[in-house]
Amino acid sequence: MELKRSWVGAANSTETEFPLNNLPYGVFSHGDAEPHCGVAIGDQILDVTALEQAGLIREGVEPVFNLPAWNAFMAIGPEAWAAFRAHLTEILAEGAAAQDRLTPYLVPQTGAQMHMPFAVSEYTDFYAGKHHATNVGTMFRGPENALPPNWLHIPIGYNGRASSVVVSGTDIRRPWGQLKGPNDSAPRWAPSARFDIELEMGAIVGVPSDGPISVDQAFENIFGYVLLNDWSARDIQAWEYQPLGPFQAKATATTISPWIVTTAALEPFRCATPEREVELLPHLSDTGPMLYDIDLNVRLNEHTICTTNYNVMYYSAAQQLAHHTSSGCPMRIGDLLGSGTISGPEPDQRGSLLELSWGGKDPLSLPDGSSRSFIEDGDRLALRGRAMAETYQIGFGPCIGTLLPALEDPFKG
């Protein structure tokens, strides 16, 4: 896994998240300009919308970068994805003859406004991290009944809201909801007091399907990955989730990182899922290494509160996607699958404040002398992820959100 050198000097730094080996896809704008599709390279963005308009890339074919989203590019299929990536690698490589032609189409990342990189068709969130599921189950049901009876057999999930998926940097408003604590005689209407995050990865479906597909097909149908923060109102969730699971507790917002890191860029970092405790049914069986070795961390107001790795997940995104289709459910280009909270076995590897504070019973101490059970107004949460090779790294950019105070009671007459 050697660094591929580029004529864009910053792309050759060991510190950059965006070497030539990466080439992630996003949507950006500068000032009052219209958003364009772009590719991150070092500290620059290659404006592929402008290149296409000028006839300097993908000559002689229908435009796919004329709208500010990567869905149209996904629709032309995996062979075209591979060809485009190979072409980008060639023209951005050190010594490429295209340097003079392309330089005017590079814009600095500094000062760029990032937008949603794709239009989310549907959003499904899973509960596929064993350590997270065990921790949460232990809190509420005890260690003997921590995992539901079905958990080791299928990736559990729920259908979330595509409409509330937002890009990194978008402020999040504390939600109101119906709450009922264990000592309350009746439910009440109030702002959530136990607002939380969940550290996740998001897989983006790039190939549509109509009916069941295999795990191998599912793996090939995934276009790329983003970091994902599943904001969660734990007190709303505790009252509403029986018997159908989360609803309004998860509907406030889901934040994703601005750059789509392709499966091709992550290929050198593939790794196996953990050893199975129960043999999976054939439609979910492991067929090869389908997870990725990606270091992850969470910072709260610049204090690191969690470090873990995507490789601890019990089910891969391919298994989640295959299971999603097993009922005949069609999948669309731009469908987003959340991995579920990524928590490791150690206390400092827990990907939510619910776990880090053990349900609020053991508040998390921060280096500045403060403590947190759950997120307070004004707190800034930042998720980071990097796949690390010896001479380069593959990054996703930040996944950041700041919590704003709740609005005045929206139903107060």
Side-chain angles (χ1 to χ4, degrees):
M1 295 192 290
E2 291 296 321
L3 172 70
K4 298 177 181 177
R5 297 190 64 82
S6 170
W7 53 262
V8 180
N12 302 322
S13 167
T14 57
E15 301 301 315
T16 184
E17 294 185 77
F18 309 121
L20 188 57
N21 305 66
N22 192 350
L23 301 178
Y25 304 145
V27 173
F28 74 100
S29 63
H30 268 279
D32 296 329
E34 291 294 316
H36 280 191
C37 293
V39 175
I41 177 73
D43 58 359
Q44 303 291 307
I45 302 172
L46 183 65
D47 187 339
V48 295
T49 295
L51 281 170
E52 184 178 68
Q53 291 171 347
L56 298 176
I57 199 167
R58 286 183 46 78
E59 300 96 331
V61 296
E62 290 295 316
V64 293
F65 302 123
N66 53 329
L67 295 175
W70 284 79
N71 299 61
F73 177 74
M74 294 185 220
I76 61 179
E79 288 187 10
W81 305 347
F84 181 69
R85 179 177 171 80
H87 182 57
L88 287 177
T89 302
E90 178 184 355
I91 61 178
L92 290 169
E94 191 173 60
Q99 177 173 349
D100 291 342
R101 179 165 52 103
L102 296 183
T103 297
Y105 296 92
L106 288 175
V107 295
Q109 289 187 33
T110 302
Q113 173 69 40
M114 300 306 298
H115 304 272
M116 281 290 295
F118 68 105
V120 181
S121 298
E122 308 277 358
Y123 168 49
T124 304
D125 194 34
F126 286 87
Y127 186 55
K130 185 169 183 287
H131 299 292
H132 172 72
T134 300
N135 288 337
V136 173
T138 298
M139 284 182 225
F140 295 108
R141 295 183 296 274
E144 300 81 8
N145 301 301
L147 292 179
N150 58 357
W151 200 93
L152 293 173
H153 298 270
I154 56 173
I156 298 170
Y158 68 91
N159 290 312
R161 292 294 303 172
S163 62
S164 56
V165 180
V166 297
V167 74
S168 175
T170 305
D171 291 338
I172 309 301
R173 180 74 65 175
R174 183 182 296 275
W176 286 74
Q178 190 176 118
L179 317 175
K180 185 179 183 301
N183 299 320
D184 294 335
S185 59
R188 57 194 170 85
W189 174 250
S192 170
R194 293 165 67 91
F195 202 59
D196 198 3
I197 63 158
E198 291 188 345
L199 167 63
E200 303 191 22
M201 295 290 298
I204 302 162
V205 176
V207 178
S209 58
D210 188 4
I213 61 175
S214 69
V215 171
D216 286 328
Q217 287 175 300
F219 186 79
E220 296 299 325
N221 285 8
I222 294 172
F223 178 66
Y225 292 81
V226 290
L227 301 176
L228 186 148
N229 183 352
D230 177 28
W231 301 90
S232 303
R234 301 299 186 186
D235 39 9
I236 297 174
Q237 184 177 357
W239 173 234
E240 75 176 5
Y241 85 103
Q242 298 285 3
L244 295 181
F247 183 38
Q248 291 298 86
K250 302 281 192 170
T252 298
T254 301
T255 302
I256 64 169
S257 52
W259 297 103
I260 302 170
V261 176
T262 64
T263 54
L266 292 172
E267 178 66 22
F269 303 94
R270 285 175 63 173
C271 61
T273 48
E275 184 177 351
R276 299 294 169 200
E277 298 179 35
V278 175
E279 185 177 355
L280 297 174
L281 293 179
H283 78 288
L284 289 175
S285 292
D286 300 283
T287 60
M290 292 188 179
L291 279 178
Y292 297 100
D293 180 4
I294 302 173
D295 290 334
L296 301 165
N297 69 71
V298 179
R299 293 175 69 84
L300 191 161
N301 299 337
E302 305 309 321
H303 305 303
T304 299
I305 61 172
C306 166
T307 56
T308 186
N309 192 292
Y310 184 46
N311 62 16
V312 301
M313 295 304 291
Y314 196 78
Y315 295 102
S316 68
Q319 288 166 318
Q320 293 169 349
L321 178 53
H323 182 63
H324 208 329
T325 70
S326 62
S327 64
C329 173
M331 302 302 294
R332 300 174 179 172
I333 294 169
D335 279 350
L336 176 63
L337 307 182
S339 63
T341 306
I342 305 168
S343 294
E346 302 301 325
D348 63 353
Q349 297 173 338
R350 295 169 180 169
S352 68
L353 280 162
L354 177 68
E355 297 167 87
L356 288 165
S357 72
W358 206 251
K361 296 178 181 178
D362 186 15
L364 178 69
S365 296
L366 300 176
D368 63 4
S370 64
S371 64
R372 293 291 186 280
S373 293
F374 293 95
I375 306 171
E376 296 184 358
D377 292 347
D379 281 347
R380 179 180 184 267
L381 279 299
L383 280 52
R384 286 278 188 175
R386 300 187 183 193
M388 305 295 294
E390 287 187 11
T391 56
Y392 69 92
Q393 55 184 311
I394 300 294
F396 295 77
C399 183
I400 294 174
T402 299
L403 183 64
L404 302 180
L407 296 171
E408 294 296 321
D409 188 345
F411 299 116
K412 188 175 182 179

